Amino acid sequence: MTRITRKEQYDWAVSRVEELLPLVSDVTPENDPASIELELLSSLVADYSEENFSIGEPSLCDIMKLRMYEMGLTQKSLAELIGVSPSRISDFFSGRAEPTLSVARRISKCLKIDASIVLGAGAL
């Protein structure tokens, strides 16, 4: 098997990895058949998982909403904090507008989000 293409294959491979795990430790030789099989199957499982089950990176909008929740902020209170209208915050979240550089900096500072995340993101 060079690639897992179906869920049934994935389920079998995960089951087999679980069977192999107790047979392999840090001191198991690299040329041990169980170690080789575990390494190969683990890579195949990881590739399939990444391709089919990946949730991706959170967007700046997701990060902002999380920080707002953590800080107990509403869109209105965030708008006041960074000096824009509440409708502008709504525009950012819906993708109708992007923050200017100065607003992005205020978002970074007020929500304590790393500037590289705020400034490196295209649209919210």
Side-chain angles (χ1 to χ4, degrees), residues 51-102:
E51 187 176 312
N52 293 279
F53 305 126
S54 178
I55 59 172
E57 295 293 319
S59 67
L60 177 56
C61 179
D62 295 333
I63 295 168
M64 286 179 62
K65 287 179 179 180
L66 174 63
R67 291 298 294 142
M68 288 170 59
Y69 172 79
E70 292 172 343
M71 298 171 74
L73 298 172
T74 62
Q75 285 188 15
K76 182 179 179 181
S77 59
L78 175 63
E80 292 171 7
L81 198 59
I82 62 173
V84 298
S85 69
S87 64
R88 180 52 81 187
I89 297 294
S90 180
D91 289 343
F92 296 159
F93 286 164
S94 69
R96 288 188 299 265
E98 293 183 23
T100 63
L101 182 59
S102 63

Side-chain angles (χ1 to χ4, degrees), residues 7-8 19 23-24 31 34 36 45 50 54 62 70 72 75 77 89 92-94 98 103 106 109-110 121:
K7 178 78 164 79
E8 296 80 23
E19 292 171 7
L23 306 176
V24 177
N31 62 350
I36 293 168
V45 165
E50 180 67 29
S54 178
D62 295 333
E70 292 172 343
Q75 285 188 15
S77 59
I89 297 294
F92 296 159
F93 286 164
S94 69
E98 293 183 23
V103 170
R106 290 194 302 262
K109 182 179 178 184
C110 293

